[in-house]
Amino acid sequence: MIILNSLNSIIFKNYLTIIFGFFILFSQALKANENIYIGYASSLHNAMKEIVNDYEKRSDVKLKFGMGASGNIAQQIMRDAPYDIFISANKKWINYLDKHQKIKERQPWISNSLSVIGSMKSIENLTLNANERFCLADPKNAPLGLYSLEAINTLNLKIPDNQIIFLKDAASVQYYLSINECDYAITYSSNILNLEKNVDVQSLPLNLYSDITYEIGILKSNKDTKDFVNYLQQPSVLKILKNHGFIID
Amino acid sequence: MITISDYEITVLLLSLKVASISSIIAFFPSLLIAYFLARKNFIGKSFVDGLIHLPLVLPPVVIGFFLLIIFGKNGLVGDIFFSTFNIRISFTWIAAVIASAVMGFPLFVRSIRQSISEIDPKQIEAAQTLGANKLKIFKKIIIPLSKKGIITGFILSFSRSLGEFGATITFAGNIFGETQTLPLAIYSSLQDPDSNLIVIRLVVISIFISLAALMISNRLSK
């Protein structure tokens, strides 16, 4: 009791000092000069984890990353999120940042393709029962959603609005597929590798949608970011991506 | 002249529908549990108490995750509903109602419990000596005397539901006209660089409704 009381009074008397101390402590932690911040399309997540691990083994630079729908990250950047490198799953969101003078340098990267998931004879004559749901990425922000809608429109599929579940990005389509919440879904072919074996997957013909090209945008041009972007184009990295199901041109 | 667009009306009506139905659903279990917590002592009371308060302290997305595990198409309860009745719960407006009810539940219990524990035990004893049974005491004494707490609970859980985001988007998704309530609509518009005006309009609507709910609750609980 006495110890507790004296502890209490110490904390009470030095309240301001303690707050100030914490402030100094955390402001030091916030000053991270050696970090590169990378924002990338969520479809890259599994591959990126591997790539980042590999890179940190050979370099002193720490990589910090945020992922989401490409459009989502682009808008975070517009609101001054501190990303140094941005990898988008289409050109649109790099163009958007370019238009606002946020991009110092840009280069095309890898490609991808679409697959449709769900039991069906063929996607052309797919009809949904009333309680079935079709999961798509939200075309507002997720490039996957735009590509998927292109394919759906080319095929002239009719899916009632209230049976579509729009999910925020490719990663959440992946997640909701993994818990069997979607009867049907369109997702990247690079994302179907970790699905369960008994799931029906068909790849969608490439002529149904426009080319899926990932593009790298450098937002802060310095040696560290350039080194990392150069590294991303190395054959060893491209091999990792190929193993994850991406298309290397 | 300020006009409200069809889009805003759809979102607004859905929010009000979800908020009112979820508050009504949360009311009966809240009343019973509040009564037991306020008037009875039993083993494990503090555990039950803690359990009830979990939605208040857990991140809402965790609640959404649990609901998905329980009521999802392949979930523990959801599977039974889906295979026997062919009813789907997740990603429908019913899911939004369940999410809101769960999130509003602890607030409801707290305020009713507070009122019930303020009731003078002598009044209940008097009723007992006069021969009233438990049900009659509950109906004639407990409920009328805790009216204030019930109303506050209603408004609190209603307002909580209007603001519910994390559990809803995880468990019910963000489907326009089905599960897209006000906060979800604001979130969606925030993602879209061309919707700044819509964001401001939705924010104003949301402030207006919440303020109105609080003012009504102040008026009613006087």
Side-chain angles (χ1 to χ4, degrees):
Chain A
M1 242 0 246
I2 296 165
I3 300 170
L4 266 184
N5 274 340
S6 57
L7 192 68
N8 248 341
S9 70
I10 289 173
I11 291 177
F12 192 69
K13 274 180 198 151
N14 300 308
Y15 186 61
L16 281 179
T17 327
I18 288 169
I19 293 217
F20 194 64
F22 271 114
F23 188 73
I24 299 281
L25 200 71
F26 286 114
S27 61
Q28 284 297 328
L30 285 175
K31 248 197 237 162
N33 295 325
E34 296 291 306
N35 292 337
I36 309 181
Y37 289 81
I38 309 156
Y40 56 80
S42 71
S43 47
L44 290 164
H45 192 51
N46 288 329
M48 263 328 234
K49 277 193 287 194
E50 218 171 298
I51 294 167
V52 162
N53 259 335
D54 197 43
Y55 191 72
E56 285 189 333
K57 270 181 216 150
R58 57 177 83 194
S59 162
D60 295 333
V61 179
K62 279 257 162 275
L63 301 174
K64 303 222 160 180
F65 41 89
M67 63 133 186
S70 303
N72 211 329
I73 304 222
Q75 275 153 63
Q76 288 171 16
I77 292 168
M78 279 310 291
R79 292 180 180 127
D80 295 326
Y83 291 117
D84 305 315
I85 294 167
F86 168 47
I87 308 175
S88 170
N90 61 9
K91 287 195 172 68
K92 178 186 168 187
W93 292 109
I94 298 264
N95 288 341
Y96 169 72
L97 290 179
D98 215 358
K99 205 177 74 193
H100 291 91
Q101 281 91 39
K102 292 275 183 186
I103 302 276
K104 298 282 186 310
E105 217 180 286
R106 52 192 282 183
Q107 41 180 283
W109 201 29
I110 49 177
S111 306
N112 211 338
S113 62
L114 295 184
S115 291
V116 62
I117 287 139
S119 55
M120 61 185 93
K121 280 217 182 75
S122 70
I123 186 152
E124 285 84 4
N125 43 35
L126 171 71
T127 42
L128 270 72
N129 294 333
N131 64 358
E132 288 183 320
R133 294 291 186 275
F134 203 121
C135 293
L136 291 174
D138 188 349
K140 251 188 198 164
N141 286 293
L144 172 60
L146 283 177
Y147 298 130
S148 310
L149 282 190
E150 273 178 14
I152 285 173
N153 288 336
T154 322
L155 288 165
N156 207 13
L157 280 187
K158 295 276 176 283
I159 308 170
D161 281 347
N162 58 0
Q163 287 181 258
I164 298 179
I165 301 177
F166 282 119
L167 297 164
K168 72 178 171 58
D169 55 22
S172 33
V173 174
Q174 172 106 340
Y175 175 72
Y176 283 94
L177 268 172
S178 75
I179 56 167
N180 273 323
E181 210 47 61
C182 315
D183 302 289
Y184 304 96
I186 294 180
T187 187
Y188 290 122
S189 304
S190 65
N191 281 13
I192 57 172
L193 296 177
N194 355 21
L195 284 177
E196 286 174 42
K197 290 261 170 354
N198 58 2
V199 177
D200 292 320
V201 181
Q202 295 173 34
S203 55
L204 283 173
L206 289 167
N207 59 2
L208 293 180
Y209 48 91
S210 46
D211 290 343
I212 304 177
T213 317
Y214 288 74
E215 201 161 328
I216 304 172
I218 302 180
L219 307 162
K220 205 187 279 167
S221 196
N222 58 35
K223 190 183 170 299
D224 285 346
T225 54
K226 276 186 182 155
D227 281 351
F228 183 69
V229 171
N230 284 337
Y231 172 74
L232 288 178
Q233 304 279 18
Q234 296 296 311
S236 66
V237 171
L238 295 179
K239 193 161 167 266
I240 295 177
L241 289 157
K242 201 174 177 190
N243 290 341
H244 279 271
F246 291 93
I247 301 168
I248 313 300
D249 305 308
Chain B
M1 180 65 192
I2 300 164
T3 50
I4 297 182
S5 68
D6 287 349
Y7 169 74
E8 287 156 351
I9 287 181
T10 312
V11 168
L12 189 60
L13 286 182
L14 182 77
S15 301
L16 294 175
K17 171 171 121 180
V18 169
S20 38
I21 297 179
S22 68
S23 310
I24 292 167
I25 290 178
F27 170 60
F28 293 100
S30 302
L31 183 64
L32 282 180
I33 288 173
Y35 173 74
F36 280 109
L37 287 177
R39 309 240 359 124
K40 308 273 182 218
N41 278 315
F42 50 90
I43 300 164
K45 184 175 170 179
S46 57
F47 177 73
V48 173
D49 202 7
L51 208 61
I52 285 161
H53 281 83
L54 271 185
L56 210 56
V57 288
L58 274 179
V61 61
V62 173
I63 300 291
F65 170 75
F66 281 137
L67 290 173
L68 208 51
I69 300 269
I70 299 167
F71 294 107
K73 203 184 104 198
N74 284 53
L76 305 169
V77 179
D79 188 33
I80 300 169
F81 269 89
F82 195 72
S83 49
T84 44
F85 307 112
N86 214 4
I87 292 174
R88 195 187 176 101
I89 299 174
S90 52
F91 296 99
T92 60
W93 68 272
I94 298 168
V97 167
I98 295 176
S100 290
V102 170
M103 296 304 291
F105 179 66
L107 294 168
F108 223 143
V109 173
R110 278 179 79 88
S111 56
I112 300 179
R113 179 189 184 176
Q114 174 77 20
S115 286
I116 293 181
S117 58
E118 277 168 10
I119 296 173
D120 189 349
K122 279 179 197 143
Q123 288 183 322
I124 294 166
E125 280 160 28
Q128 272 167 347
T129 19
L130 292 171
N133 62 14
K134 277 192 173 160
L135 190 67
K136 198 163 188 185
I137 293 176
F138 195 72
K139 277 203 292 203
K140 297 276 177 186
I141 297 178
I142 309 270
I143 292 182
L145 286 179
S146 54
K147 203 180 90 194
K148 210 169 149 181
I150 291 173
I151 292 170
T152 318
F154 251 112
I155 302 289
L156 280 178
S157 99
F158 185 84
S159 318
R160 182 70 189 80
S161 164
L162 283 179
E164 215 312 292
F165 179 81
T168 309
I169 200 166
T170 317
F171 175 48
N174 191 356
I175 306 168
F176 173 68
E178 179 83 20
T179 66
Q180 193 179 67
T181 54
L182 258 175
L184 297 175
I186 293 173
Y187 173 74
S188 283
S189 313
L190 270 175
Q191 312 285 306
D192 182 358
D194 305 324
S195 315
N196 279 335
L197 187 68
I198 300 176
V199 172
I200 295 169
R201 291 175 62 103
L202 290 171
V203 166
V204 170
I205 292 176
S206 138
I207 292 173
F208 182 77
I209 297 208
S210 309
L211 208 59
L214 285 175
M215 282 160 67
I216 292 170
S217 99
N218 278 341
R219 170 72 56 88
L220 286 178
S221 57
K222 253 176 204 165

